[in-house]
Amino acid sequence: MKEDYYDILKIDKSASAADIKKAYRKKAIKYHPDKNPDNKEAEEMFKKAAEAYEVLSNPDKKARYDQFGHQAFQGGGGGFNGGGMNMDDIFSQFGDIFGGGFGGGGGFSGFGGGQQRRVKGSNLRIRITLTLEEIANGVEKKLKVKRKVQASGTTYKTCSSCNGSGQVMRITNTILGRMQTSSPCPTCGGAGEMIDKKPADADAQGLILKEETVSVKIPAGVVDGMQLKVSGKGNEAPGNGVSGDLLVAIQEEEHSSLKREGDNLHYDLYVSLPDAVLGTSQEIDTVTGKVRIKIDAGVQSGKILRLRGKGIPSINGYGKGDLLVHINVWTPKTLNKEQKEFFENFRSDEHFQPKPESSDKSFFEKVKDMFS
Ligand SMILES: [Zn+2]
């Protein structure tokens, strides 16, 4: 089981941004690879702390983590799929923690390990709008994406500046003393190779734009603002680099009659006075089609009928929300003479006198029940 980010940094959920930073700084110094050479355990802790900080220092990611835990970043959730962060990512994060000096990556994203880095293509971002029905049932979307791909006919040669290693060494002074760090070769961008020949229509990196259809499986229960990651469907990188990712931002289309609140749905049902008095059945919208529900004779305005499991499936895969049908009895604003007389007859009739029973809870009591 994956360790809790708060436990890793030894802080509690109420920790402020400054506390989170402080806690991470402590861990990073304690487990820094230069202080713990050839210590796999320390390296593991160093990576874990960096991953925890990466999430908890970002208000958006933190909110998702607080709500969904590690699930928020799995199955296309747009985060760390299994492997965690690599060292380059961690060092590039140091700039804002230690005020520079730790350097190395400098915004460059690649594969660490001390050897030649593989250049990563840039990520692509796309926004899709989903109906509530699509969100409730899950959907597969075919997205047209313009991505950069390697132009056929492009050839590469070894970079002469770094002799193919992709890195240049430098000495820097840091809070831990003098450190030898490597940074990507400025000539080849760390790839260790350069373009030899390329077709005329390709860009400087030997890439051309190509429209492709990418199929994305959207799991049921996604939330507006969530970002899904399709690995490797961003821009390709030159040479033997790896493709970037396609990041799909979810936008939820407003439904005409259903209002979403977490995994629950709300529906306002209007019932005429005669229907409320005599009882009836009415069709209502659900995310899986129309459903006919029974309204008992004598139903009170404000009553909430709960249709269990008719809401949105939990993104975590645990059950489904409910559909709450709010009954609103519609009182006519105008009556003809005959109708007025009809009601006048019952003005003092005992059947028409309000007699709230314990079962007819007030609106506020009902709301309290729903959330308790
Ligand atoms: Zn080079």
Side-chain angles (χ1 to χ4, degrees), residues 159 161-164 166 185 187-190 192-193:
C159 172
S161 300
C162 63
N163 285 319
C185 166
T187 310
C188 61
E193 51 186 9

PDB file of all heavy atoms in Angstrom, residues 159 161-164 166 185 187-190 192-193, ligand 1:
ATOM      1  N   CYS A 159      26.271  14.057 -31.063  1.00  0.00           N
ATOM      2  CA  CYS A 159      26.556  15.467 -30.772  1.00  0.00           C
ATOM      3  C   CYS A 159      28.056  15.641 -30.534  1.00  0.00           C
ATOM      4  O   CYS A 159      28.659  14.888 -29.767  1.00  0.00           O
ATOM      5  CB  CYS A 159      25.776  15.895 -29.527  1.00  0.00           C
ATOM      6  SG  CYS A 159      26.226  17.535 -28.939  1.00  0.00           S
ATOM      7  N   SER A 161      29.540  18.317 -29.205  1.00  0.00           N
ATOM      8  CA  SER A 161      29.870  19.070 -27.984  1.00  0.00           C
ATOM      9  C   SER A 161      30.047  18.160 -26.777  1.00  0.00           C
ATOM     10  O   SER A 161      30.907  18.388 -25.939  1.00  0.00           O
ATOM     11  CB  SER A 161      28.772  20.080 -27.671  1.00  0.00           C
ATOM     12  OG  SER A 161      28.635  20.978 -28.721  1.00  0.00           O
ATOM     13  N   CYS A 162      29.211  17.144 -26.669  1.00  0.00           N
ATOM     14  CA  CYS A 162      29.257  16.270 -25.490  1.00  0.00           C
ATOM     15  C   CYS A 162      29.647  14.848 -25.855  1.00  0.00           C
ATOM     16  O   CYS A 162      29.597  13.958 -25.002  1.00  0.00           O
ATOM     17  CB  CYS A 162      27.910  16.280 -24.780  1.00  0.00           C
ATOM     18  SG  CYS A 162      26.573  15.633 -25.791  1.00  0.00           S
ATOM     19  N   ASN A 163      29.991  14.628 -27.097  1.00  0.00           N
ATOM     20  CA  ASN A 163      30.359  13.298 -27.578  1.00  0.00           C
ATOM     21  C   ASN A 163      29.279  12.257 -27.301  1.00  0.00           C
ATOM     22  O   ASN A 163      29.564  11.101 -27.016  1.00  0.00           O
ATOM     23  CB  ASN A 163      31.684  12.831 -26.972  1.00  0.00           C
ATOM     24  CG  ASN A 163      32.840  13.545 -27.631  1.00  0.00           C
ATOM     25  OD1 ASN A 163      32.840  13.742 -28.859  1.00  0.00           O
ATOM     26  ND2 ASN A 163      33.813  13.969 -26.840  1.00  0.00           N
ATOM     27  N   GLY A 164      28.038  12.698 -27.316  1.00  0.00           N
ATOM     28  CA  GLY A 164      26.934  11.740 -27.179  1.00  0.00           C
ATOM     29  C   GLY A 164      26.500  11.474 -25.750  1.00  0.00           C
ATOM     30  O   GLY A 164      25.527  10.775 -25.527  1.00  0.00           O
ATOM     31  N   GLY A 166      25.355  13.653 -23.676  1.00  0.00           N
ATOM     32  CA  GLY A 166      24.173  14.467 -23.385  1.00  0.00           C
ATOM     33  C   GLY A 166      24.337  15.370 -22.182  1.00  0.00           C
ATOM     34  O   GLY A 166      23.437  16.134 -21.846  1.00  0.00           O
ATOM     35  N   CYS A 185      23.518  19.009 -21.992  1.00  0.00           N
ATOM     36  CA  CYS A 185      24.360  19.673 -22.989  1.00  0.00           C
ATOM     37  C   CYS A 185      23.531  20.733 -23.711  1.00  0.00           C
ATOM     38  O   CYS A 185      22.460  20.436 -24.219  1.00  0.00           O
ATOM     39  CB  CYS A 185      24.870  18.631 -23.972  1.00  0.00           C
ATOM     40  SG  CYS A 185      25.576  19.330 -25.462  1.00  0.00           S
ATOM     41  N   THR A 187      24.035  22.181 -26.464  1.00  0.00           N
ATOM     42  CA  THR A 187      24.005  22.033 -27.922  1.00  0.00           C
ATOM     43  C   THR A 187      22.899  21.088 -28.376  1.00  0.00           C
ATOM     44  O   THR A 187      22.135  21.390 -29.296  1.00  0.00           O
ATOM     45  CB  THR A 187      25.362  21.504 -28.438  1.00  0.00           C
ATOM     46  OG1 THR A 187      26.385  22.308 -27.892  1.00  0.00           O
ATOM     47  CG2 THR A 187      25.412  21.545 -29.956  1.00  0.00           C
ATOM     48  N   CYS A 188      22.800  19.935 -27.689  1.00  0.00           N
ATOM     49  CA  CYS A 188      21.838  18.918 -28.140  1.00  0.00           C
ATOM     50  C   CYS A 188      20.644  18.825 -27.199  1.00  0.00           C
ATOM     51  O   CYS A 188      19.761  17.992 -27.406  1.00  0.00           O
ATOM     52  CB  CYS A 188      22.521  17.564 -28.266  1.00  0.00           C
ATOM     53  SG  CYS A 188      23.185  16.967 -26.704  1.00  0.00           S
ATOM     54  N   GLY A 189      20.624  19.647 -26.160  1.00  0.00           N
ATOM     55  CA  GLY A 189      19.511  19.619 -25.214  1.00  0.00           C
ATOM     56  C   GLY A 189      19.485  18.351 -24.384  1.00  0.00           C
ATOM     57  O   GLY A 189      18.465  17.979 -23.813  1.00  0.00           O
ATOM     58  N   GLY A 190      20.607  17.644 -24.312  1.00  0.00           N
ATOM     59  CA  GLY A 190      20.692  16.456 -23.467  1.00  0.00           C
ATOM     60  C   GLY A 190      20.492  15.143 -24.197  1.00  0.00           C
ATOM     61  O   GLY A 190      20.656  14.073 -23.634  1.00  0.00           O
ATOM     62  N   GLY A 192      22.214  13.936 -26.711  1.00  0.00           N
ATOM     63  CA  GLY A 192      23.445  13.287 -27.134  1.00  0.00           C
ATOM     64  C   GLY A 192      23.552  13.126 -28.639  1.00  0.00           C
ATOM     65  O   GLY A 192      24.526  12.594 -29.157  1.00  0.00           O
ATOM     66  N   GLU A 193      22.528  13.576 -29.315  1.00  0.00           N
ATOM     67  CA  GLU A 193      22.570  13.484 -30.777  1.00  0.00           C
ATOM     68  C   GLU A 193      21.988  14.740 -31.400  1.00  0.00           C
ATOM     69  O   GLU A 193      21.252  15.501 -30.757  1.00  0.00           O
ATOM     70  CB  GLU A 193      21.836  12.224 -31.261  1.00  0.00           C
ATOM     71  CG  GLU A 193      20.451  12.103 -30.678  1.00  0.00           C
ATOM     72  CD  GLU A 193      19.769  10.787 -31.023  1.00  0.00           C
ATOM     73  OE1 GLU A 193      20.421   9.896 -31.575  1.00  0.00           O
ATOM     74  OE2 GLU A 193      18.579  10.684 -30.740  1.00  0.00           O
TER      75      GLU A 193
HETATM   76 ZN    ZN B   1      25.448  17.378 -26.800  1.00  0.00          ZN
END
